[in-house]
Amino acid sequence: MPDSFGNDARLQTPPPSSMNSSIQPRAAIDGALGEAPAEEITRGINRLQIDWAGRQLGTITDGTTLYASNRFQVAAFQVASGQRLWQTAPAGLKSLKSRDWTNIPMRPALLGNSLYVRLLYGDGPVLASIERASGKVNWLSSELKGQWIVSDPIPRRDRILALTLQRLELNESMLRLTAFDAETGEVVSQSDLLRLNSSWMTRRCCEVAVLDDGVLAVLGGDRKSTRLNSSH
């Protein structure tokens, strides 16, 4: 309750002390980490001592298994013990730099027996389908020439949706909603959404949320919603 000065005593309670807590390493992701991890892509990251590697980590769990992606490989861990069950093999494509798309996590999505995630290979983020039981890579969207996968994957029935970006002339890019066949990775449909100017490239942030009948995307402060139809 507030005192005579209008202060609420509940808000004055100090937070619990962290003196008795400690970090207990349970497992690790090693192997593919991208090229030139010491090279600063976005200015100020080193000076401000930002944990860029931690911010770029994307995770998802099904309750018993935790899947973690550092944007170059995926590893699966048993939740109860922390034991690493598997990690993916190299993608066989040219790796981008560790700090490309700085501070942007690329979160996995689950559908059936597969995991879908963006990885930084080739010309830009590609979409990968990975077998949840073994870590085997089923397919990569590397044949989608000249287009980046700029959003995390969205499972929808037997398809995987994602926002893709193709660079155009005059410092513009076309944002599209692309539907992939979840089993084969084949592009089923694409719909043009809007043109983005070159300023988006400085941040490259694209967050998506699934609505009842569509998808809402936030692109560095700008919002765009689109309805889904049978082709998606």
Side-chain angles (χ1 to χ4, degrees):
M1 294 294 293
D3 58 21
S4 57
F5 296 98
N7 298 315
D8 193 330
R10 293 172 299 178
L11 302 181
Q12 300 177 27
T13 303
S17 172
S18 60
M19 295 298 293
N20 296 325
S21 63
S22 61
I23 298 175
Q24 299 181 1
R26 301 290 296 277
I29 300 178
D30 49 27
L33 300 172
E35 300 296 325
E39 182 179 340
E40 186 178 52
I41 304 297
T42 301
R43 290 182 299 176
I45 297 295
N46 292 345
R47 177 175 57 82
L48 297 173
Q49 299 183 329
I50 293 174
D51 179 16
W52 56 269
R55 292 193 179 193
Q56 292 172 185
L57 193 67
T59 62
I60 193 171
T61 180
D62 59 11
T64 59
T65 304
L66 172 71
Y67 303 93
S69 170
N70 69 354
R71 314 186 312 164
F72 297 93
Q73 65 174 327
V74 179
F77 303 91
Q78 190 176 69
V79 171
S81 66
Q83 176 187 0
R84 188 172 69 194
L85 304 175
W86 52 256
Q87 67 181 21
T88 53
L93 298 172
K94 179 181 180 298
S95 172
L96 273 67
K97 295 179 179 179
S98 296
R99 303 203 207 182
D100 280 336
W101 297 68
T102 301
N103 287 344
I104 303 296
M106 298 186 176
R107 303 177 184 89
L110 305 178
L111 179 65
N113 296 322
S114 297
L115 173 150
Y116 300 87
V117 66
R118 291 184 290 162
L119 297 174
L120 288 182
Y121 288 98
D123 296 329
V126 298
L127 183 62
S129 168
I130 298 170
E131 189 175 278
R132 289 169 63 180
S134 65
K136 174 187 174 183
V137 176
N138 297 319
W139 52 260
L140 293 169
S141 66
S142 55
E143 72 279 1
L144 201 62
K145 299 298 183 182
Q147 297 188 54
W148 293 344
I149 311 294
V150 298
S151 79
D152 291 328
I154 306 167
R156 179 175 166 83
R157 297 193 293 269
D158 60 346
R159 297 178 181 178
I160 299 297
L161 307 182
L163 296 184
T164 58
L165 194 75
Q166 183 170 23
R167 302 292 297 274
L168 305 175
E169 297 179 353
L170 302 176
N171 294 321
E172 288 187 327
S173 301
M174 176 60 71
L175 185 71
R176 296 187 174 100
L177 178 63
T178 302
F180 299 86
D181 183 288
E183 187 69 24
T184 65
E186 179 184 357
V187 174
V188 177
S189 66
Q190 284 195 306
S191 303
D192 291 351
L193 298 181
L194 77 162
R195 291 174 180 255
L196 296 176
N197 60 38
S198 59
S199 63
W200 183 84
M201 300 295 296
T202 62
R203 182 69 178 86
R204 303 186 181 188
C205 179
C206 178
E207 297 286 346
V208 294
V210 180
L211 308 177
D212 290 340
D213 61 347
V215 174
L216 175 67
V218 179
L219 303 114
D222 295 327
R223 291 180 294 177
K224 171 67 178 178
S225 62
T226 182
R227 291 183 180 275
L228 302 179
N229 53 47
S230 58
S231 65
H232 299 131

